[in-house]
Structures are given as C-alpha cells and as structure tokens.
Amino acid sequence: EEQLLESGGGLVQPGGSLRLSCAASGFNFANYAFSWVRQAPGKGLEWVALHYNLYGGPRYAESMKGRFTIFREDSKSTLSLQMNTLGAEDTALYYCAKSPTDNAGFSYWYFDLWGRGTLVTVSS
Amino acid sequence: SYELTQPPSVSVSPGQTATITCSGDKLWDKYVSWYQQKPGQSPGLVISENHKRPSGIPERFSGSKSGNTATLTISEAQALDEADYYCQAWDSSSYVFGTGTKVSVL
C-alpha cells in the first residue's frame, strides 16, 4: 500500500525553526515529485513547496522563499522541509503530497496521494 | 499571483445534483483537478485533468470545463458527499488551490 507519513511538527516560538519529514512507502520514491501543502486551522489548502524528481529541483510559493527549504533523500524515501523564521501565520497542518508521473517520468501536476499531516503551532 | 475562485458553500438535497464552480484567468489553458476533504481527514483526489475520475471514485462525480470556469458535478448526492471541495491548477511552476466550497447535503 502506498503511504506517506509526516512527522516533526510541534510547538515552536516565533522566530524559531522546525524540520518536517515525510516517509514514503509502497512505491519507488525516486520516480516522483513531491510537495508540501499546508492548511491553517479552519482555512483552505495552500501549496508550500515542490521538489521535482530527477528532472529538476525545488520550487517555492512566493511567501515561503528564503525561509523554507525543501529537500529529498531518495535513498531513504524521505522528503523534508526546513522551516526558519517562523511566524504565527505559519501555524498549520502540513501535508506531504505526491504527484503522479507518465511513462517517461514527467510529472502530472496534481496530487494522487496525501499523508495525514503534521501540525505546526507557532506561539510564545 | 494566480487565483482560483469558488463559491463558499453549496447546498443540495439528497438525490439531487450539486454543482461547484471554479473560475480563474486563462483557466481554459490549464488542467483542473478537484479534491474532497472531509472533517478531520486529508484531501483526496476525485477528478484530475478536468474530467478524469481516478479508480474508486463513484461515477456520480464528474468534471468539466468551459472557457475560464471548471465545474465539479455531484449527481444523486448522498450524505457521505458532505465535505469541502477544492479545485487546483498549475500556473507558473506553482500549484494553486481554489478557495474551497463546503457542500452540505440536507
């Protein structure tokens, strides 16, 4: 069974840092692009960052650039998100999500698998 | 930045048809996907690339697009279809989600 399992969330003070992880299982992690998507309490979905598979590197939502870093370790089937200079506006449930690919390995730009999320709370 | 607009809420009676719209600039030129999110759960894909239904998604879910408006239609709505629904597109190397629509079946 294909699964994504996020971890690393918690309570952090404003200005602090946190690293989230997403462990994948049940499929060949290296073949796919992955994203982080967040959802503030009672709010909608917001895309945070993307890491392509072998055909490219990271992309970020404008408001995350310079503060967040997405990286992947294909050998460990793990996606990570390093978050720095956190503010109250970053309080959210953070989901890891997978994009499917075609036979040539190019990504389709939607998400066919989501994790359960890990909660980040920024508060003093 | 690119925006996708959805109605905040849609109400439908059981067995009737619910229609959720998603509007955006030049949407005619983009693929639109739809996600269902029930309370306390992760989002799940119900329609990809405008109209494709993943395996396991009931036939009562269908997607279409005309001009700059995409539509998710839920035919013969059931109580278990109560959820938030989000459209999503790809623009300038970024994923963009719609504002979300809460569907009530009552």
Side-chain angles (χ1 to χ4, degrees), chain A residues 39 95 99 109-111 115, chain B residues 33 35 37 42-43 86 88 95:
Chain A
Q39 187 169 34
Y95 294 104
S99 294
W109 301 119
Y110 59 89
F111 303 114
Chain B
S33 297
Y35 303 88
Q37 186 179 33
S42 307
Y86 296 90
Q88 174 257 311
Y95 291 95

Side-chain angles (χ1 to χ4, degrees), chain B residues 30-46:
Chain B
K30 306 179 191 302
Y31 281 126
V32 177
S33 297
W34 292 89
Y35 303 88
Q36 176 193 69
Q37 186 179 33
K38 296 182 179 180
Q41 296 185 17
S42 307
L45 181 70
V46 293

Side-chain angles (χ1 to χ4, degrees), chain B residues 4-76:
Chain B
L4 294 171
T5 301
Q6 300 178 232
S9 62
V10 166
S11 295
V12 61
S13 300
Q16 299 304 303
T17 297
T19 300
I20 307 163
T21 57
C22 170
S23 300
D25 187 37
K26 297 183 180 178
L27 198 58
W28 60 268
D29 195 32
K30 306 179 191 302
Y31 281 126
V32 177
S33 297
W34 292 89
Y35 303 88
Q36 176 193 69
Q37 186 179 33
K38 296 182 179 180
Q41 296 185 17
S42 307
L45 181 70
V46 293
I47 294 290
S48 67
E49 297 185 299
N50 300 331
H51 63 87
K52 297 180 180 179
R53 196 172 49 248
S55 63
I57 299 301
E59 290 185 9
R60 63 178 184 276
F61 287 90
S62 63
S64 63
K65 192 173 64 173
S66 178
N68 289 331
T69 299
T71 301
L72 175 68
T73 302
I74 308 173
S75 305
E76 301 180 349

Side-chain angles (χ1 to χ4, degrees), chain A residues 37-54:
Chain A
V37 176
R38 71 184 185 182
Q39 187 169 34
K43 302 297 184 182
L45 301 173
E46 180 183 24
W47 173 71
V48 172
L50 152 72
H51 204 299
Y52 288 97
N53 54 2
L54 68 163

